[in-house]
Short mmCIF file of all heavy atoms in Angstrom, two decimals:
data_model
loop_
_atom_site.label_atom_id
_atom_site.label_comp_id
_atom_site.label_asym_id
_atom_site.label_seq_id
_atom_site.Cartn_x
_atom_site.Cartn_y
_atom_site.Cartn_z
N VAL A 78 -3.45 -30.95 7.87
CA VAL A 78 -4.43 -31.67 7.14
C VAL A 78 -5.34 -30.68 6.35
O VAL A 78 -5.60 -31.06 5.18
CB VAL A 78 -5.23 -32.56 8.06
CG1 VAL A 78 -6.29 -33.35 7.28
CG2 VAL A 78 -4.29 -33.56 8.83
N ALA A 79 -5.79 -29.70 6.97
CA ALA A 79 -6.62 -28.73 6.20
C ALA A 79 -5.90 -28.17 5.00
O ALA A 79 -6.52 -28.03 3.98
CB ALA A 79 -7.04 -27.54 7.23
N LEU A 80 -4.60 -27.88 5.12
CA LEU A 80 -3.84 -27.37 4.00
C LEU A 80 -3.77 -28.27 2.79
O LEU A 80 -3.80 -27.90 1.71
CB LEU A 80 -2.39 -26.92 4.44
CG LEU A 80 -2.30 -25.70 5.42
CD1 LEU A 80 -0.82 -25.52 5.73
CD2 LEU A 80 -2.95 -24.47 4.85
N THR A 81 -3.79 -29.61 3.07
CA THR A 81 -3.71 -30.57 1.97
C THR A 81 -5.05 -30.48 1.09
O THR A 81 -4.95 -31.00 0.03
CB THR A 81 -3.47 -32.06 2.54
OG1 THR A 81 -4.66 -32.45 3.21
CG2 THR A 81 -2.30 -32.16 3.42
N GLN A 82 -6.05 -30.00 1.78
CA GLN A 82 -7.33 -29.92 0.96
C GLN A 82 -7.18 -28.72 0.07
O GLN A 82 -7.87 -28.70 -0.99
CB GLN A 82 -8.55 -29.77 1.92
CG GLN A 82 -8.58 -30.89 3.02
CD GLN A 82 -8.47 -32.17 2.45
OE1 GLN A 82 -9.29 -32.65 1.65
NE2 GLN A 82 -7.59 -33.01 3.06
N GLU A 83 -6.44 -27.77 0.39
CA GLU A 83 -6.25 -26.56 -0.52
C GLU A 83 -5.24 -26.63 -1.54
O GLU A 83 -5.28 -26.10 -2.60
CB GLU A 83 -5.79 -25.30 0.38
CG GLU A 83 -6.99 -24.66 1.16
CD GLU A 83 -6.41 -23.53 2.04
OE1 GLU A 83 -5.82 -22.71 1.55
OE2 GLU A 83 -6.62 -23.64 3.29
N TYR A 84 -4.20 -27.46 -1.27
CA TYR A 84 -3.10 -27.57 -2.21
C TYR A 84 -2.90 -29.09 -2.56
O TYR A 84 -2.66 -29.89 -1.65
CB TYR A 84 -1.82 -27.00 -1.56
CG TYR A 84 -1.84 -25.62 -1.35
CD1 TYR A 84 -2.22 -25.17 0.00
CD2 TYR A 84 -1.61 -24.64 -2.23
CE1 TYR A 84 -2.29 -23.85 0.30
CE2 TYR A 84 -1.66 -23.32 -1.98
CZ TYR A 84 -2.06 -22.83 -0.72
OH TYR A 84 -2.14 -21.55 -0.49
N ASN A 85 -3.02 -29.32 -3.80
CA ASN A 85 -2.96 -30.78 -4.29
C ASN A 85 -1.60 -31.46 -4.03
O ASN A 85 -1.49 -32.64 -3.82
CB ASN A 85 -3.16 -30.73 -5.77
CG ASN A 85 -4.28 -31.69 -6.21
OD1 ASN A 85 -4.50 -32.59 -5.45
ND2 ASN A 85 -4.81 -31.38 -7.30
N ASN A 86 -0.56 -30.67 -4.11
CA ASN A 86 0.87 -31.17 -4.06
C ASN A 86 1.36 -31.22 -2.65
O ASN A 86 2.64 -31.39 -2.40
CB ASN A 86 1.72 -30.29 -4.91
CG ASN A 86 1.75 -28.93 -4.52
OD1 ASN A 86 0.91 -28.33 -3.88
ND2 ASN A 86 2.93 -28.17 -4.77
N LEU A 87 0.44 -31.05 -1.67
CA LEU A 87 0.98 -30.99 -0.32
C LEU A 87 0.36 -32.15 0.44
O LEU A 87 -0.84 -32.57 0.34
CB LEU A 87 0.34 -29.60 0.23
CG LEU A 87 1.00 -28.94 1.39
CD1 LEU A 87 0.85 -27.37 1.14
CD2 LEU A 87 0.38 -29.32 2.60
N TYR A 88 1.21 -32.79 1.30
CA TYR A 88 0.86 -33.90 2.13
C TYR A 88 1.10 -33.54 3.55
O TYR A 88 1.91 -32.68 3.85
CB TYR A 88 1.67 -35.16 1.78
CG TYR A 88 1.39 -35.58 0.39
CD1 TYR A 88 2.20 -35.08 -0.75
CD2 TYR A 88 0.38 -36.47 0.03
CE1 TYR A 88 1.99 -35.49 -1.97
CE2 TYR A 88 0.15 -36.82 -1.22
CZ TYR A 88 0.98 -36.41 -2.31
OH TYR A 88 0.73 -36.80 -3.60
N ALA A 89 0.34 -34.24 4.48
CA ALA A 89 0.50 -33.89 5.95
C ALA A 89 1.09 -35.02 6.71
O ALA A 89 0.96 -36.17 6.39
CB ALA A 89 -0.88 -33.58 6.51
N ALA A 90 1.81 -34.68 7.84
CA ALA A 90 2.13 -35.71 8.82
C ALA A 90 1.52 -35.14 10.11
O ALA A 90 1.39 -33.85 10.31
CB ALA A 90 3.66 -35.75 8.94
N VAL A 91 1.07 -36.02 11.06
CA VAL A 91 0.45 -35.49 12.16
C VAL A 91 1.08 -36.14 13.45
O VAL A 91 1.46 -37.33 13.37
CB VAL A 91 -1.03 -35.94 12.26
CG1 VAL A 91 -1.80 -35.16 11.08
CG2 VAL A 91 -1.34 -37.41 12.15
N GLY A 92 1.14 -35.37 14.48
CA GLY A 92 1.77 -35.91 15.62
C GLY A 92 2.08 -34.84 16.75
O GLY A 92 1.96 -33.68 16.50
N ILE A 93 2.63 -35.31 17.90
CA ILE A 93 2.82 -34.37 18.91
C ILE A 93 4.47 -34.42 19.14
O ILE A 93 5.03 -35.45 19.45
CB ILE A 93 2.17 -34.68 20.31
CG1 ILE A 93 0.72 -34.59 20.03
CG2 ILE A 93 2.65 -33.82 21.45
CD1 ILE A 93 -0.14 -35.41 21.05
N HIS A 94 5.03 -33.26 18.90
CA HIS A 94 6.52 -33.10 18.91
C HIS A 94 6.92 -33.21 20.43
O HIS A 94 6.19 -32.76 21.32
CB HIS A 94 6.79 -31.66 18.40
CG HIS A 94 8.22 -31.33 18.25
ND1 HIS A 94 9.05 -31.00 19.41
CD2 HIS A 94 9.00 -31.08 17.20
CE1 HIS A 94 10.20 -30.69 18.96
NE2 HIS A 94 10.22 -30.73 17.68
N PRO A 95 8.21 -33.74 20.73
CA PRO A 95 8.51 -33.85 22.15
C PRO A 95 8.48 -32.56 22.90
O PRO A 95 8.11 -32.50 24.10
CB PRO A 95 9.94 -34.42 22.07
CG PRO A 95 10.36 -34.22 20.56
CD PRO A 95 9.12 -34.29 19.77
N HIS A 96 8.90 -31.48 22.32
CA HIS A 96 8.82 -30.12 22.94
C HIS A 96 7.42 -29.86 23.43
O HIS A 96 7.21 -29.30 24.52
CB HIS A 96 9.33 -29.12 21.94
CG HIS A 96 9.35 -27.71 22.57
ND1 HIS A 96 10.22 -27.33 23.59
CD2 HIS A 96 8.71 -26.58 22.28
CE1 HIS A 96 10.03 -26.11 23.92
NE2 HIS A 96 9.18 -25.55 23.13
N HIS A 97 6.44 -30.17 22.59
CA HIS A 97 5.02 -29.97 23.04
C HIS A 97 4.40 -30.98 23.97
O HIS A 97 3.29 -30.77 24.40
CB HIS A 97 4.24 -29.80 21.76
CG HIS A 97 4.66 -28.49 20.97
ND1 HIS A 97 4.36 -27.24 21.34
CD2 HIS A 97 5.44 -28.34 19.83
CE1 HIS A 97 4.87 -26.38 20.49
NE2 HIS A 97 5.65 -27.06 19.62
N VAL A 98 5.19 -32.02 24.21
CA VAL A 98 4.69 -32.95 25.19
C VAL A 98 4.65 -32.30 26.59
O VAL A 98 3.93 -32.70 27.44
CB VAL A 98 5.61 -34.24 25.25
CG1 VAL A 98 5.38 -35.07 26.42
CG2 VAL A 98 5.54 -34.98 23.89
N TYR A 99 5.36 -31.14 26.66
CA TYR A 99 5.33 -30.35 27.91
C TYR A 99 4.00 -29.98 28.38
O TYR A 99 3.68 -29.96 29.59
CB TYR A 99 6.22 -29.11 27.72
CG TYR A 99 6.74 -28.59 28.96
CD1 TYR A 99 7.79 -29.36 29.59
CD2 TYR A 99 6.32 -27.50 29.63
CE1 TYR A 99 8.34 -29.02 30.79
CE2 TYR A 99 6.90 -27.07 30.85
CZ TYR A 99 7.87 -27.77 31.44
OH TYR A 99 8.38 -27.42 32.69
N GLU A 100 3.06 -29.74 27.36
CA GLU A 100 1.70 -29.38 27.81
C GLU A 100 0.74 -30.57 28.00
O GLU A 100 -0.43 -30.35 28.27
CB GLU A 100 1.10 -28.34 26.88
CG GLU A 100 0.98 -28.84 25.43
CD GLU A 100 0.85 -27.69 24.49
OE1 GLU A 100 -0.17 -27.12 24.29
OE2 GLU A 100 1.91 -27.24 23.83
N VAL A 101 1.26 -31.71 27.79
CA VAL A 101 0.43 -32.96 28.00
C VAL A 101 0.78 -33.46 29.36
O VAL A 101 1.75 -34.20 29.58
CB VAL A 101 0.77 -34.05 26.94
CG1 VAL A 101 -0.27 -35.13 26.95
CG2 VAL A 101 0.68 -33.42 25.50
N LYS A 102 -0.06 -32.98 30.31
CA LYS A 102 0.34 -33.17 31.71
C LYS A 102 -0.16 -34.48 32.39
O LYS A 102 0.42 -34.99 33.23
CB LYS A 102 -0.13 -31.99 32.65
CG LYS A 102 0.51 -30.67 32.19
CD LYS A 102 1.84 -30.40 32.81
CE LYS A 102 2.38 -29.01 32.56
NZ LYS A 102 3.84 -28.93 32.62
N SER A 103 -1.41 -34.84 31.98
CA SER A 103 -2.10 -35.95 32.64
C SER A 103 -2.41 -37.04 31.77
O SER A 103 -2.28 -36.99 30.49
CB SER A 103 -3.40 -35.46 33.22
OG SER A 103 -4.26 -35.12 32.17
N GLU A 104 -2.73 -38.25 32.34
CA GLU A 104 -3.09 -39.42 31.56
C GLU A 104 -4.33 -39.08 30.62
O GLU A 104 -4.41 -39.54 29.51
CB GLU A 104 -3.45 -40.54 32.59
CG GLU A 104 -3.73 -41.86 31.91
CD GLU A 104 -2.53 -42.36 31.06
OE1 GLU A 104 -1.35 -42.09 31.35
OE2 GLU A 104 -2.85 -43.08 30.06
N GLU A 105 -5.27 -38.33 31.15
CA GLU A 105 -6.48 -37.97 30.39
C GLU A 105 -6.10 -37.16 29.17
O GLU A 105 -6.59 -37.43 28.09
CB GLU A 105 -7.47 -37.07 31.23
CG GLU A 105 -8.19 -37.78 32.43
CD GLU A 105 -7.19 -38.02 33.62
OE1 GLU A 105 -6.55 -37.00 33.94
OE2 GLU A 105 -7.09 -39.05 34.08
N GLU A 106 -5.17 -36.25 29.28
CA GLU A 106 -4.74 -35.39 28.26
C GLU A 106 -3.98 -36.23 27.13
O GLU A 106 -4.19 -36.06 26.01
CB GLU A 106 -3.87 -34.25 28.63
CG GLU A 106 -4.69 -32.97 29.14
CD GLU A 106 -3.74 -32.03 29.87
OE1 GLU A 106 -2.95 -32.42 30.75
OE2 GLU A 106 -3.91 -30.87 29.55
N THR A 107 -3.26 -37.19 27.67
CA THR A 107 -2.51 -38.08 26.73
C THR A 107 -3.50 -38.82 25.91
O THR A 107 -3.42 -38.85 24.65
CB THR A 107 -1.61 -39.04 27.53
OG1 THR A 107 -0.84 -38.32 28.41
CG2 THR A 107 -0.78 -39.96 26.64
N VAL A 108 -4.47 -39.48 26.51
CA VAL A 108 -5.51 -40.20 25.80
C VAL A 108 -6.29 -39.30 24.87
O VAL A 108 -6.35 -39.72 23.62
CB VAL A 108 -6.46 -40.96 26.82
CG1 VAL A 108 -7.63 -41.59 26.11
CG2 VAL A 108 -5.72 -41.91 27.68
N SER A 109 -6.72 -38.15 25.26
CA SER A 109 -7.58 -37.36 24.42
C SER A 109 -6.65 -36.83 23.19
O SER A 109 -7.20 -36.78 22.10
CB SER A 109 -8.20 -36.26 25.18
OG SER A 109 -7.56 -35.05 25.21
N GLN A 110 -5.48 -36.36 23.46
CA GLN A 110 -4.71 -35.81 22.38
C GLN A 110 -4.34 -36.89 21.34
O GLN A 110 -4.40 -36.70 20.11
CB GLN A 110 -3.49 -35.14 22.83
CG GLN A 110 -3.75 -34.00 23.77
CD GLN A 110 -2.75 -32.84 23.69
OE1 GLN A 110 -1.82 -32.85 22.87
NE2 GLN A 110 -2.87 -31.84 24.51
N LEU A 111 -3.99 -38.09 21.84
CA LEU A 111 -3.61 -39.18 20.98
C LEU A 111 -4.80 -39.66 20.14
O LEU A 111 -4.70 -40.03 18.95
CB LEU A 111 -3.02 -40.39 21.65
CG LEU A 111 -1.56 -40.14 22.16
CD1 LEU A 111 -1.05 -41.35 22.93
CD2 LEU A 111 -0.64 -39.77 21.01
N SER A 112 -6.06 -39.60 20.72
CA SER A 112 -7.22 -39.98 19.98
C SER A 112 -7.51 -38.97 18.86
O SER A 112 -7.97 -39.36 17.80
CB SER A 112 -8.41 -40.25 20.90
OG SER A 112 -9.19 -39.15 20.97
N GLU A 113 -7.20 -37.66 19.15
CA GLU A 113 -7.38 -36.72 18.09
C GLU A 113 -6.40 -36.91 16.84
O GLU A 113 -6.79 -36.84 15.80
CB GLU A 113 -7.15 -35.33 18.58
CG GLU A 113 -8.19 -34.90 19.72
CD GLU A 113 -8.59 -33.46 19.51
OE1 GLU A 113 -9.16 -33.13 18.41
OE2 GLU A 113 -8.54 -32.64 20.44
N ILE A 114 -5.17 -37.29 17.28
CA ILE A 114 -4.19 -37.66 16.22
C ILE A 114 -4.60 -38.81 15.44
O ILE A 114 -4.66 -38.91 14.18
CB ILE A 114 -2.83 -37.84 16.84
CG1 ILE A 114 -2.18 -36.59 17.53
CG2 ILE A 114 -1.78 -38.49 15.92
CD1 ILE A 114 -1.92 -35.44 16.56
N GLU A 115 -5.12 -39.77 16.16
CA GLU A 115 -5.53 -41.09 15.49
C GLU A 115 -6.67 -40.84 14.50
O GLU A 115 -6.74 -41.41 13.42
CB GLU A 115 -5.91 -42.09 16.56
CG GLU A 115 -6.34 -43.40 15.92
CD GLU A 115 -6.49 -44.58 17.05
OE1 GLU A 115 -6.39 -44.33 18.28
OE2 GLU A 115 -6.72 -45.74 16.64
N THR A 116 -7.67 -39.91 14.88
CA THR A 116 -8.70 -39.60 14.01
C THR A 116 -8.25 -39.11 12.71
O THR A 116 -8.72 -39.44 11.57
CB THR A 116 -9.69 -38.57 14.71
OG1 THR A 116 -10.02 -39.13 15.96
CG2 THR A 116 -10.94 -38.34 13.82
N LEU A 117 -7.13 -38.27 12.69
CA LEU A 117 -6.66 -37.62 11.52
C LEU A 117 -6.00 -38.63 10.55
O LEU A 117 -5.97 -38.45 9.38
CB LEU A 117 -5.58 -36.57 11.86
CG LEU A 117 -6.13 -35.35 12.64
CD1 LEU A 117 -4.92 -34.47 13.17
CD2 LEU A 117 -7.10 -34.53 11.91
#
Side-chain angles (χ1 to χ4, degrees):
V78 178
L80 293 180
T81 67
Q82 311 306 306
E83 280 177 58
Y84 300 93
N85 236 337
N86 59 334
L87 207 144
Y88 298 89
V91 298
I93 300 161
H94 184 290
H96 182 63
H97 295 283
V98 170
Y99 207 70
E100 60 201 278
V101 189
K102 299 272 187 206
S103 65
E104 188 54 34
E105 293 75 49
E106 277 169 314
T107 306
V108 171
S109 92
Q110 296 212 11
L111 287 178
S112 96
E113 297 220 57
I114 294 294
E115 185 169 0
T116 308
L117 298 172

